[in-house]
């Protein structure tokens, strides 16, 4: 049976050391997190779904250099956050929101800024719709959107970011994967060609390819199924949301600028920044502008 896998993630892996890390109970799962720096708290939600947070240590460290306490965590069933027998009952968006709340309360945080990249932006949106009182600011980085409209064009834009050779090669390994071939060779080859769709500077593709091989496909499928089941749509949820919002989007991303504009339009107090010659990873394709824009936004009252 053909398997459709939606990947809205992949952050580059850097050697990083957190100041502290811990694992706590979160409902029927164990939730692992790491903390960098000190100051006002920022929660970083990585993309995926189905990815661990290891690659996001770089962003956490960069934000901590701006004098913030930054927190990354492994979403349930990924990385060091363990979950027995993942299924459609214990892997849901609502339970993942509960996990974030459990973490906030454990850390005794009143309000925090949330930075969500790709699927992390979807997760951040859903959390903010449920717990707006806990939000200081929101940062959307190449987010999947406030609804599921991006699914209507995602494959087309992904293909447009690949050369014909890359598309043909990807198709060979995607067919093997769909047929049940989960061998290391197939996963690495698939990732090698797919990674080129996520970056403007193709020299960075190997960084993304390495992360693409680490996805937990079962968790990925369960989360996507749940998003469709709950008919995820928060586009009308923030009419009275007054906190500042930053939306960062590369013009060459697999996520369209129209999706980024829809996110910005959903929040009364938002700022949209579009990055030239930039795909899914602002910190790779446009690092200086990307980080400077975030720093200036965080400093604003």
């Amino acid at each position: 049976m053909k398997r459709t896998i939606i990947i809205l993630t992949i952050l580059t892996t850097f050697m990083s050391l957190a100041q502290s890390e811990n694992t706590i109970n979160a409902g029927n799962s164990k939730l692992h997190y790491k903390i960098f720096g000190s100051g006002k708290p920022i929660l970083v939600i990585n993309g995926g779904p189905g990815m661990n947070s290891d690659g996001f240590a770089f962003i956490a460290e960069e934000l901590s250099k701006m004098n913030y306490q930054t927190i990354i965590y492994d979403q349930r069933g990924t990385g060091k956050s363990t979950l027995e027998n993942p299924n459609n009952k214990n892997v849901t968006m609502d339970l993942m929101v509960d996990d974030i709340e459990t973490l906030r309360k454990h850390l005794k945080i009143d309000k925090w800024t949330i930075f969500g990249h790709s699927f992390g932006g979807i997760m951040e949106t859903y959390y903010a719709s449920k717990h707006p009182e806990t939000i200081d600011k929101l940062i959307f980085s190449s987010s999947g959107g406030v609804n599921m409209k991006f699914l209507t064009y995602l494959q087309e834009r992904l293909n447009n970011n690949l050369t014909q050779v890359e598309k043909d090669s990807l198709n060979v390994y995607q067919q093997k994967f769909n047929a049940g071939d989960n061998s290391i060779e197939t996963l690495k080859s698939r990732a090698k060609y797919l990674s080129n769709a996520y970056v403007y500077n193709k020299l960075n593709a190997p960084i993304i390819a390495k992360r693409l091989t680490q996805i937990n496909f079962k968790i990925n499928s369960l989360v996507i199924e749940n998003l469709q089941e709950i008919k995820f749509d928060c586009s009308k949820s923030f009419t009275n949301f007054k906190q500042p919002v930053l939306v960062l989007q590369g013009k060459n991303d697999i996520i369209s600028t129209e999706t980024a504009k829809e996110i910005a339009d959903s929040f009364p107090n938002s700022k949209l920044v579009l990055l030239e010659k930039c795909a899914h990873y602002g910190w790779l394709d446009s690092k200086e502008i990307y980080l400077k824009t975030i720093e200036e936004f965080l400093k604003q009252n």
Side-chain angles (χ1 to χ4, degrees):
M1 182 176 68
K2 183 178 180 180
R3 288 180 288 175
T4 301
I5 305 298
I6 298 172
I7 303 173
L8 297 173
T9 182
I10 333 310
L11 197 109
T12 162
T13 303
F14 292 82
M15 294 301 292
S16 304
L17 293 175
Q19 276 73 45
S20 64
E21 61 181 293
N22 193 15
T23 300
I24 60 174
N25 293 321
N28 54 4
S29 71
K30 301 286 187 180
L31 196 70
H32 185 81
Y33 69 90
K34 296 179 182 180
I35 294 177
F36 301 77
S38 61
K40 287 186 176 182
I42 300 176
L43 177 68
V44 176
I45 307 180
N46 61 272
M51 297 296 295
N52 61 49
S53 64
D54 288 350
F56 284 71
F58 169 73
I59 287 295
E61 285 196 337
E62 289 298 316
L63 295 176
S64 71
K65 293 175 186 176
M66 302 173 192
N67 298 316
Y68 291 89
Q69 178 193 73
T70 52
I71 306 143
I72 58 176
Y73 74 103
D74 291 334
Q75 295 160 23
R76 60 171 46 212
T78 71
K80 295 181 180 179
S81 291
T82 57
L83 178 66
E84 187 175 349
N85 184 31
N87 55 65
N88 60 7
K89 301 299 182 184
N90 59 24
V91 179
T92 69
M93 290 293 290
D94 284 303
L95 288 175
M96 292 167 78
V97 162
D98 291 344
D99 290 345
I100 297 174
E101 264 298 271
T102 296
L103 179 59
R104 183 185 69 84
K105 292 175 181 178
H106 170 76
L107 296 175
K108 297 180 172 57
I109 293 172
D110 181 26
K111 290 180 180 289
W112 53 5
T113 291
I114 298 184
F115 169 104
H117 177 78
S118 203
F119 166 73
I122 295 175
M123 192 72 249
E124 145 185 43
T125 299
Y126 199 55
Y127 173 81
S129 73
K130 302 290 185 181
H131 301 281
E133 74 285 352
T134 70
I135 304 299
D136 186 15
K137 295 180 179 181
L138 294 176
I139 300 173
F140 291 90
S141 170
S142 299
S143 174
V146 290
N147 52 45
M148 301 295 283
K149 290 181 182 178
F150 67 93
L151 292 183
T152 62
Y153 65 73
L154 191 66
Q155 189 62 53
E156 180 181 0
R157 286 184 66 88
L158 189 150
N159 288 336
N160 288 341
N161 278 1
L162 298 174
T163 66
Q164 190 59 52
V165 171
E166 289 165 348
K167 283 188 284 189
D168 291 342
S169 300
L170 174 60
N171 186 54
V172 169
Y173 292 102
Q174 185 65 49
Q175 288 182 0
K176 288 185 177 183
F177 177 80
N178 290 341
D181 181 355
N182 292 325
S183 65
I184 296 298
E185 179 185 356
T186 293
L187 291 178
K188 284 186 175 180
S189 297
R190 174 181 174 273
K192 174 184 176 180
Y193 296 107
L194 179 59
S195 62
N196 287 282
Y198 290 90
V199 290
Y200 184 84
N201 183 347
K202 302 302 182 180
L203 294 177
N204 290 316
I207 300 172
I208 307 307
K210 184 176 180 179
R211 286 283 288 171
L212 277 169
T213 63
Q214 299 171 0
I215 188 169
N216 183 319
F217 291 106
K218 183 171 185 179
I219 298 296
N220 179 282
S221 296
L222 288 170
V223 174
I224 297 301
E225 288 171 8
N226 186 249
L227 281 165
Q228 294 170 332
E229 180 182 344
I230 65 176
K231 296 179 173 58
F232 172 73
D233 188 347
C234 293
S235 56
K236 305 298 183 184
S237 300
F238 301 103
T239 304
N240 298 315
F241 189 90
K242 304 303 181 185
Q243 298 305 99
V245 175
L246 173 64
V247 182
L248 280 164
Q249 183 69 42
K251 288 187 176 181
N252 307 95
D253 194 1
I254 58 172
I255 304 296
S256 72
T257 56
E258 286 72 20
T259 292
K261 291 174 183 176
E262 185 175 17
I263 296 172
D265 289 343
S266 298
F267 293 90
N269 187 14
S270 66
K271 178 182 180 180
L272 172 62
V273 177
L274 301 178
L275 302 173
E276 300 284 348
K277 297 182 180 180
C278 180
H280 202 53
Y281 300 98
W283 56 89
L284 290 180
D285 287 330
S286 189
K287 179 181 176 182
E288 183 177 349
I289 296 174
Y290 181 87
L291 293 176
K292 182 178 180 181
T293 301
I294 291 175
E295 184 172 20
E296 291 176 349
F297 171 75
L298 290 172
K299 286 180 178 179
Q300 293 173 359
N301 294 325

